[in-house]
């Protein structure tokens, strides 16, 4: 509110013992200072300063008002300084809603790195497959895979993970290795239990193919799909980041290496654009790490 700004200007005039010194200290023109203090006096209904050609002096009312205003302005200054320190080194509790499987298989080491970077933070994470209500629930941020469903919330893109095809060596030895996307219709394919799970869209150098897939398992858990694939139960279409360890250990092998699935977007969802430093840093950190995946 405008009178709070005028209050701060009044304090500057008193501290500088005149309008000229206050103008130099604040960068506000002398004429503007005089006009704003006059408006403040009019709003209060009392004269705060005795003005002479050489100096200004506090009236009795001005002395009382100055003592109160000085503390308020000082508290505001300290608050700004503390926020600056918080931005440099965030602290407090970061409350986040995270997707279960993606967090366990991929985000966990990133979160550990973030926690080491900011030792002043503590964490309250809710790992759940449901869509948390950021309006009614006390989360600072939700990390979600797939396109945002609520247009009223603020969605910040973190990454776009390109999915690839994998299967275990034992499954391929038993069932044969597909040579083209069309061959996938003859195989056991492990899919997420959602709309469109009966087909996969694959791309290569601008060429796109949508193939019908099926199998004995449809699940709502990325971790379970990945585990069943390592147990020789079929082919999966999944971002490389999630199966890196299984590929490195030889439990899974990439197939049809020229073909990629539709990229899976990852978003940070917040209720508002005005977010505290702890949330801002967390989102920036994940964007940096996931974007380079």
């Amino acid at each position: 509110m405008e009178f709070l700004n005028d209050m701060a200007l009044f304090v500057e005039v008193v501290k500088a013992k005149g309008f000229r010194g206050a103008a130099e200290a604040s960068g506000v023109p002398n004429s503007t200072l005089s006009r704003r203090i006059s408006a403040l006096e009019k709003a209060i209904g009392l004269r705060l300063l005795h003005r002479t050609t050489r100096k200004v002096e506090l009236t009795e009312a001005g002395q009382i008002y100055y003592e109160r205003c000085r503390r308020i302005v000082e508290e505001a200054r300290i608050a700004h300084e503390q926020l600056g320190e918080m931005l440099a080194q965030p602290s407090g509790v970061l409350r986040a809603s995270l997707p279960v499987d993606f967090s366990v298989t991929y985000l966990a080491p990133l979160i550990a790195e973030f926690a080491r970077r900011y030792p002043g933070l503590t964490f309250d994470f809710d790992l759940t497959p449901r869509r948390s209500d950021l309006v009614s629930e006390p989360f600072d941020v939700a990390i979600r895979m797939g396109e945002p469903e609520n247009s009223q919330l603020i969605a910040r893109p973190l990454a776009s993970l390109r999915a690839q095809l994998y299967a275990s060596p034992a499954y391929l030895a038993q069932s044969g290795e597909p040579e083209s996307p069309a061959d996938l219709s003859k195989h056991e394919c492990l899919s997420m239990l959602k709309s469109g799970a009966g087909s996969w869209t694959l791309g290569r150098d601008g060429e796109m193919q949508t193939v019908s897939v099926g199998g004995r398992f449809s699940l709502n858990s990325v971790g379970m799909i990945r585990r069943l694939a390592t147990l020789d139960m079929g082919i999966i279409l999944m971002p490389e980041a999630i199966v890196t360890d299984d590929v490195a250990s030889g439990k899974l092998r990439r197939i049809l290496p020229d073909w990629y699935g539709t990229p899976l977007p990852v978003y940070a969802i917040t209720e508002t654009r005005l977010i505290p430093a702890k949330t801002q840093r967390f989102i920036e950190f994940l964007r940096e790490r996931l974007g380079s995946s």
Side-chain angles (χ1 to χ4, degrees):
M1 298 168 66
E2 192 172 27
F3 82 87
L4 293 175
N5 292 328
D6 293 344
M7 180 192 298
L9 293 177
F10 168 71
V11 171
E12 284 295 331
V13 170
V14 176
K15 289 169 61 178
K17 299 181 180 180
F19 287 94
R20 181 177 297 178
E24 294 175 355
S26 65
V28 178
N30 196 326
S31 59
T32 301
L33 281 174
S34 180
R35 185 173 67 254
R36 294 314 313 160
I37 299 305
S38 294
L40 180 63
E41 290 176 323
K42 183 177 180 180
I44 293 173
L46 292 170
R47 183 170 291 278
L48 301 174
L49 298 172
H50 289 305
R51 297 167 172 82
T52 69
T53 55
R54 294 186 177 181
K55 62 179 180 179
V56 296
E57 294 180 348
L58 287 168
T59 64
E60 182 180 358
Q63 183 66 47
I64 296 173
Y65 191 66
Y66 172 70
E67 290 300 322
R68 294 290 185 92
C69 292
R70 181 177 57 82
R71 287 194 292 269
I72 293 172
V73 172
E74 181 65 14
E75 285 291 332
R77 183 187 64 80
I78 292 172
H80 276 279
E81 290 180 354
Q82 289 178 339
L83 287 176
E85 293 172 0
M86 185 181 292
L87 188 60
Q89 194 64 251
S91 60
V93 181
L94 177 65
R95 296 179 174 86
S97 174
L98 307 174
V100 180
D101 299 308
F102 183 60
S103 299
V104 172
T105 59
Y106 188 64
L107 288 185
L110 302 185
I111 290 171
E113 180 184 349
F114 182 78
R116 286 191 291 268
R117 179 178 295 188
Y118 298 107
L121 282 174
T122 56
F123 302 90
D124 186 348
F125 289 157
D126 178 43
L127 274 66
T128 175
R130 68 181 178 86
R131 298 280 176 174
S132 303
D133 185 352
L134 295 181
V135 177
S136 63
E137 298 182 70
F139 293 116
D140 298 302
V141 62
I143 306 302
R144 290 291 175 258
M145 304 177 74
E147 293 297 335
E149 296 178 355
N150 189 339
S151 61
Q152 302 301 313
L153 300 175
I154 307 303
R156 296 171 171 85
L158 300 179
S160 183
L161 304 179
R162 191 162 59 174
Q164 300 165 352
L165 294 158
Y166 299 91
S168 69
Y171 173 84
L172 296 173
Q174 176 182 347
S175 302
E177 184 167 345
E179 298 180 355
S180 70
D183 292 340
L184 293 172
S185 62
K186 306 171 186 175
H187 284 265
E188 286 285 329
C189 295
L190 303 169
S191 299
M192 286 294 290
L193 185 60
K194 61 180 181 179
S195 176
S199 65
W200 288 345
T201 298
L202 304 174
R204 177 185 65 177
D205 298 330
E207 177 187 358
M208 302 295 294
Q209 288 192 29
T210 298
V211 295
S212 297
V213 295
R216 298 167 62 195
F217 296 96
S218 286
L219 308 98
N220 65 351
S221 167
V222 171
M224 187 64 171
I225 288 176
R226 170 191 173 197
R227 180 64 174 143
L228 288 174
T230 65
L231 295 173
D232 316 323
M233 298 307 296
I235 296 172
I236 60 174
L237 180 63
M238 193 164 290
E240 179 183 11
I242 296 178
V243 297
T244 297
D245 291 344
D246 292 327
V247 172
S249 66
K251 294 179 180 178
L252 293 176
R253 180 161 65 82
R254 187 175 173 190
I255 61 175
L256 295 176
D258 295 335
W259 293 89
Y260 296 88
T262 303
L264 181 66
V266 182
Y267 286 91
I269 312 294
T270 59
E271 181 188 359
T272 174
R273 295 187 186 278
L274 301 176
I275 57 177
K278 60 185 179 182
T279 310
Q280 179 181 333
R281 289 299 177 88
F282 186 59
I283 291 173
E284 290 173 349
F285 176 84
L286 291 183
R287 180 183 289 127
E288 175 189 340
R289 290 296 187 270
L290 291 174
S292 61
S293 298

